[in-house]
Amino acid sequence: VSRIFFIARILASLAILGYSLAVTLAGLVDGETTMWAGVPNAVAVVVFFVLLVLVGVMEGIQTALFAIVNLPEDELQPHRVAYRNFRLIFTGQNFQAFLIGRQIVVTFFFFIVARIAILNVEIGVDDNIFGVSDGVQRFFNTGLLGALVTTILASLVWRVVASSFPVAFMSNPVIYLIIRLCL
């Protein structure tokens, strides 16, 4: 019985995420978000996903760091890229600087993502997304669906992956560039 509820929760979560993503993307493709005027819809979609990935990687780095900080150094050394990234962060005051810089960059990116993902469909003037009622469209316009998408796709998923595979996560060469951005 508990397994059935577990599977039901997973399926419900995936359905909610999928619908939220579909609504957000429909708004982006139709140009019905609070994205700045003059930005092409295709560019908004690309920037949205690039920022989701960048924020996700930064969230994952922090999670992976706390997972590998207690690993014996000789266990980390065979993984050259991960070890190099680890040494960069834990040299001098870099760890504190990284955490502060990461938070500033994540906050900045989230403000941009919010601007991109909040729907701005004028009720009674524009067509409602997927033909929903005006009340449902007002709910969509609150930005809650975009917030749900960004919370899951730009944070939670990356944290789970990074905590499950911290050395592999830190072995990505792109991580070095993101660490430098945050320092």
Side-chain angles (χ1 to χ4, degrees):
V1 174
S2 65
R3 181 140 175 91
I4 292 171
F5 285 124
F6 177 73
I7 292 171
R9 284 194 317 255
I10 290 172
L11 294 175
S13 296
L14 286 173
I16 292 168
L17 174 62
Y19 189 74
S20 297
L21 186 59
V23 169
T24 302
L25 286 176
L28 281 169
V29 168
D30 293 342
E32 294 179 336
T33 68
T34 56
M35 183 64 171
W36 293 277
V39 177
N41 299 344
V43 171
V45 171
V46 170
V47 169
F48 177 70
F49 281 109
V50 166
L51 290 177
L52 289 183
V53 168
L54 287 173
V55 169
V57 169
M58 285 184 263
E59 295 284 344
I61 290 171
Q62 181 175 340
T63 303
L65 286 175
F66 287 115
I68 66 173
V69 72
N70 295 321
L71 282 178
E73 203 162 314
D74 61 328
E75 201 173 306
L76 192 57
Q77 280 179 337
H79 307 278
R80 287 186 12 239
V81 175
Y83 184 69
R84 189 176 95 197
N85 289 334
F86 177 81
R87 295 303 315 152
L88 174 62
I89 287 184
F90 288 104
T91 299
Q93 298 293 316
N94 283 357
F95 183 64
Q96 291 87 350
F98 169 76
L99 290 178
I100 292 168
R102 186 203 72 84
Q103 193 60 48
I104 291 168
V105 173
V106 165
T107 302
F108 176 70
F109 284 172
F110 265 133
F111 276 114
I112 296 171
V113 167
R115 181 72 187 225
I116 295 170
I118 293 176
L119 297 179
N120 190 26
V121 176
E122 290 188 52
I123 307 298
V125 177
D126 298 329
D127 290 336
N128 293 348
I129 293 180
F130 298 143
V132 298
S133 69
D134 289 348
V136 173
Q137 186 61 55
R138 279 189 193 88
F139 173 72
F140 288 174
N141 285 353
T142 64
L144 188 62
L145 299 182
L148 182 76
V149 168
T150 57
T151 299
I152 294 171
L153 296 183
S155 182
L156 299 178
V157 170
W158 293 89
R159 287 177 183 232
V160 169
V161 170
S163 67
S164 299
F165 309 102
V167 175
F169 192 89
M170 292 300 290
S171 292
N172 185 335
V174 174
I175 300 295
Y176 179 81
L177 299 173
I178 293 176
I179 292 169
R180 283 290 180 193
L181 171 71
C182 295
L183 288 176

